[in-house]
Amino acid sequence: MSQTRLAMSALRAVCRLGLAGVIAAAGCEQGDAPGPGLELVFGRTGMGPGEFSYPRAAVLGAQQRLYVVDKAGRIQCYTLDGRYQFGWVMPQTQAGKPTGLGVGPDGRIYVADTHYSRIVIFTPDGQQVATFGSYGTGPGQFLLPTDVAVTPTGEIYVAEYSGNDRVSKFTPQFAYLFSFGGADAGEAQLRRPQALLLDDDGTLWVADACNHRICHFAADGGFLGAFGRSGTGSGELRFPYSLDRLSDGTFVVAEYGNNRIQRFDRSGRSLGTWGGAGRRPGQLAYPWAAAVGPGDRVFILDSGNNRVQVLDGLAKGTWRRP
């Protein structure tokens, strides 16, 4: 069967069964042809080294290492070719598990410890060195922190949802500075800001998940604009859960609700998508993150399939054009 007929068959299956039906029925066979640009797939379901229980955040750390946190509260470290190195477990997990990771200029790993209303900081090898934050709605407090981003000078941004739905900024010594994007922010009001990305110019991009858009803020919290709207078409988003930047300045956005990665230019114009609902290589099930590494390799947390798929973000033919 030709690739075109295979694609049409898959599309008809989506229409007949719906998203959940396709994911449940697709299976995962070693002989399946990979998607365009796909270089590597690693990980499987389980609780052992190199296995995942619903991975939900990833960050590229020092010494070309990939750190991944999953729903078991484990942080695992991998080489960029998918080899497991070591891991550790969060100090507390009974109330819930982290959903965000960041890395500081010194290589320390910052964890948005979501259900414990705090940020926990580790050395690159997993030694806990600091925490900050407490439960509440006041200045410097958190309800459910989702992500953390650290500037080259050590200032810290923390996103949160569940009532606060804002981004707060802190000094390198964890002193609260200000918040933005909250209930009184007008057109800049956020609804579950799920992921943060610092730009080279010091501005901040936010995956505003429940508003189905990407927002842009100045370093002082001023609103600079947004792109995206709810939908399944080109340039539309459904629950964007993470974003990162390729070397040409374009963005890759992981869409949890659309089971795909979408690439945008800096004006918000879609440059194509990758993925689609399913179990086979090149397909995705509820991706939580897409982290860009050296050489524009994109490490995709294929969360519902408990694996990482790695693609060449700038290879010709990678992105399905709108």
Side-chain angles (χ1 to χ4, degrees):
M1 184 180 292
S2 70
Q3 291 297 317
T4 299
R5 291 179 63 192
L6 281 171
M8 291 302 297
S9 176
L11 179 59
R12 286 193 293 270
V14 171
C15 295
R16 288 196 305 269
L17 300 177
L19 177 64
V22 171
I23 289 177
C28 183
E29 300 175 7
Q30 293 299 318
D32 291 331
L38 185 62
E39 294 185 351
L40 176 68
V41 180
F42 66 90
R44 61 184 181 182
T45 301
M47 295 295 292
E51 299 176 334
F52 297 116
S53 175
Y54 209 79
R56 300 199 294 185
V59 70
L60 272 295
Q63 299 179 352
Q64 296 197 357
R65 290 170 168 174
L66 177 73
Y67 293 85
V68 179
V69 64
D70 69 7
K71 207 171 181 180
R74 301 177 303 163
I75 298 171
Q76 298 185 67
C77 177
Y78 292 86
T79 63
L80 299 192
D81 60 0
R83 289 180 290 117
Y84 174 84
Q85 299 296 286
F86 58 86
W88 69 92
V89 180
M90 291 296 294
Q92 293 174 280
T93 60
Q94 185 174 2
K97 318 304 190 299
T99 64
L101 295 175
V103 62
D106 56 1
R108 290 181 176 182
I109 304 300
Y110 289 66
V111 182
D113 198 6
T114 307
H115 296 275
Y116 288 91
S117 305
R118 64 187 180 184
I119 303 300
V120 185
I121 305 169
F122 298 90
T123 64
D125 60 357
Q127 302 301 310
Q128 183 178 331
V129 293
T131 64
F132 72 93
S134 62
Y135 180 85
T137 60
Q141 294 183 313
F142 307 127
L143 290 180
L144 294 174
T146 54
D147 200 18
V148 56
V150 188
T151 72
T153 55
E155 294 174 311
I156 305 162
Y157 291 94
V158 179
E160 55 176 320
Y161 80 109
S162 185
N164 286 347
D165 287 294
R166 64 189 179 188
V167 177
S168 297
K169 189 173 183 178
F170 298 83
T171 70
Q173 294 75 38
F174 318 136
Y176 172 80
L177 294 172
F178 55 83
S179 298
F180 54 93
D184 59 351
E187 64 175 341
Q189 182 178 351
L190 301 169
R191 293 178 60 219
R192 187 167 179 159
Q194 182 61 45
L196 304 173
L197 174 66
L198 285 163
D199 213 338
D200 290 338
D201 61 4
T203 61
L204 185 74
W205 296 85
V206 180
D208 188 11
C210 290
N211 280 326
H212 311 288
R213 64 179 183 171
I214 304 299
C215 294
H216 192 197
F217 293 91
D220 63 0
F223 185 59
L224 299 176
F227 65 82
R229 63 181 181 180
S230 179
T232 61
S234 173
E236 296 177 330
L237 298 164
R238 286 186 65 204
F239 301 105
Y241 269 15
S242 87
L243 74 162
D244 209 341
R245 186 177 59 253
L246 294 164
S247 64
D248 66 353
T250 60
F251 299 106
V252 288
V253 178
E255 295 184 65
Y256 177 88
N258 278 333
N259 293 287
R260 68 186 183 186
I261 308 299
Q262 190 164 185
R263 184 181 173 204
F264 292 90
D265 68 17
R266 297 182 69 83
S267 71
R269 179 174 64 96
S270 176
L271 301 176
T273 62
W274 188 91
R279 301 292 190 191
R280 298 179 178 89
Q283 297 178 324
L284 300 168
Y286 313 117
W288 270 68
V292 176
D296 287 305
R297 300 174 79 214
V298 184
F299 294 79
I300 301 168
L301 293 193
D302 187 7
S303 303
N305 288 321
N306 289 313
R307 64 188 179 187
V308 177
Q309 300 199 57
V310 186
L311 63 140
D312 186 335
L314 290 179
K316 184 178 180 180
T318 296
W319 303 99
R320 185 182 303 112
R321 293 287 179 167

